Amino acid sequence: MCNPLRLTYRCSRPVHFTRKMSPSLFNFSDAKERFTNATRIALDNKTSKTLINAFNQTPGTETEKKTTLDQAFRSVLEEEIIQRKASCEDFLGLIYLSIDGVTEGICSATTPFLLLGDVLDCLPLDQCDKIFSFVEENVSTWKSNSFYSAGKNYLLRMCNDLLRRLSKSQNTVFCGRIQLFLARLFPLSEKSGLNLQSQFNLENITVFNKNEQESTLGQKHPEERDDGMEVEEGEMGDEEAPTTFIKKQASLKIQSGPEKR
């Protein structure tokens, strides 16, 4: 028997086999702790460079790191509100830092609005006035392409929550500022401000006189001339207060009878 034919292959170049290194796994706890510490340092130094460096050095996908940084921002805010009882300037500094984070692409676009909502929910109305002044001053930022689509619903909900807390008779100026801010923020074509279903109040009937002689403009109605008309607290003018007080004194003297000497 003849020997079987043996085929040999020779390679002119040596073949090197390289093992593909698997990417390091993302650890949420370590990343959140690193981002929280970096946020505190950035808040003290009033710069976002430390936060950007920590974001770039942390392993993981961009979505994972953005979500973790959003949680770190809210954790630092919770600590500032509950434990440290920081001032409005510290809260605004953290919100400014989140705005820089959105501009640099290291956190979600909704993060500044979530922080604003948390601050306004936890503060009294006198401090909410200062925070809302910041919101008014940055209306051009909220209308930019990076923030408008992501934050318009948050801003609308935040303003409605503030209006529910405010008194229409005692906080008239604050309520008007909120309405003006919404008018500046939303365009005229915004669906939330349009009557798309054409629903009108047909029960509202306005009666007017065609002749000027029949006009009752400037004349008081009999109901308004009564002394017992109820006046809302805080709405009575300074000139009407002494007159009403004198009338009440006179009515009390009549009821009690003549004084005995």
Side-chain angles (χ1 to χ4, degrees):
M1 297 180 63
C2 59
N3 294 331
L5 182 62
R6 295 181 179 179
L7 300 177
T8 58
Y9 298 91
R10 295 182 179 179
C11 184
S12 60
R13 296 179 180 178
V15 179
H16 298 282
F17 297 94
T18 58
R19 181 179 297 177
K20 188 177 181 180
M21 299 296 293
S22 59
S24 56
L25 297 177
F26 176 76
N27 192 328
F28 175 78
S29 301
D30 295 342
K32 184 180 179 181
E33 183 178 359
R34 178 181 296 182
F35 288 158
T36 302
N37 295 331
T39 303
R40 293 194 185 100
I41 296 174
L43 186 60
D44 294 336
N45 297 333
K46 297 181 180 181
T47 179
S48 59
K49 293 182 179 180
T50 307
L51 201 57
I52 296 174
N53 295 333
F55 185 86
N56 295 329
Q57 295 174 1
T58 303
T61 62
E62 186 175 357
T63 304
E64 292 173 340
K65 292 190 289 185
K66 278 186 176 182
T67 306
T68 309
L69 184 56
D70 296 342
Q71 295 293 328
F73 271 120
R74 301 190 76 177
S75 298
V76 174
L77 179 63
E78 180 183 2
E79 182 181 353
E80 292 289 330
I81 293 176
I82 298 177
Q83 298 181 5
R84 298 185 180 181
K85 296 181 180 180
S87 60
C88 294
E89 287 75 13
D90 297 330
F91 301 146
L92 295 179
L94 186 61
I95 296 172
Y96 271 122
L97 195 62
S98 65
I99 293 175
D100 293 341
V102 175
T103 307
E104 297 293 336
I106 61 176
C107 69
S108 304
T110 58
T111 303
F113 306 103
L114 292 174
L115 297 179
L116 277 172
D118 293 340
V119 170
L120 292 175
D121 289 341
C122 298
L123 293 181
L125 290 177
D126 56 342
Q127 296 185 11
C128 288
D129 194 350
K130 301 178 182 179
I131 301 297
F132 192 77
S133 299
F134 162 80
V135 178
E136 289 176 312
E137 294 170 359
N138 291 272
V139 64
S140 59
T141 303
W142 314 135
K143 294 177 69 173
S144 62
N145 296 329
S146 303
F147 295 93
Y148 182 74
S149 59
K152 62 178 182 179
N153 292 331
Y154 288 96
L155 289 173
L156 181 60
R157 188 182 304 113
M158 179 185 68
C159 291
N160 289 333
D161 292 340
L162 272 177
L163 288 173
R164 292 190 191 98
R165 295 174 59 187
L166 295 173
S167 172
K168 293 182 180 180
S169 60
Q170 298 180 5
N171 307 109
T172 310
V173 177
F174 200 174
C175 293
R177 288 170 55 194
I178 295 175
Q179 297 290 349
L180 288 176
F181 168 75
L182 292 176
R184 294 170 58 192
L185 178 66
F186 293 102
L188 294 176
S189 59
E190 178 64 28
K191 291 184 178 180
S192 60
L194 298 177
N195 187 8
L196 297 177
Q197 299 179 357
S198 299
Q199 295 179 355
F200 301 99
N201 184 13
L202 300 178
E203 297 179 358
N204 185 12
I205 300 175
T206 303
V207 181
F208 60 93
N209 296 323
K210 296 182 179 180
N211 298 328
E212 186 178 356
Q213 298 177 356
E214 299 178 358
S215 176
T216 59
L217 183 64
Q219 299 179 4
K220 292 185 178 181
H221 295 283
E223 298 178 357
E224 296 180 358
R225 298 174 184 174
D226 296 340
D227 296 335
M229 183 179 61
E230 295 182 359
V231 181
E232 186 179 356
E233 184 179 357
E235 296 289 336
M236 186 171 57
D238 296 336
E239 297 179 356
E240 297 176 0
T243 307
T244 308
F245 179 72
I246 294 172
K247 290 181 179 179
K248 288 184 177 180
Q249 272 192 336
S251 61
L252 290 174
K253 288 182 179 180
I254 294 173
Q255 293 177 3
S256 61
E259 296 181 358
K260 295 181 181 180
R261 296 183 180 179

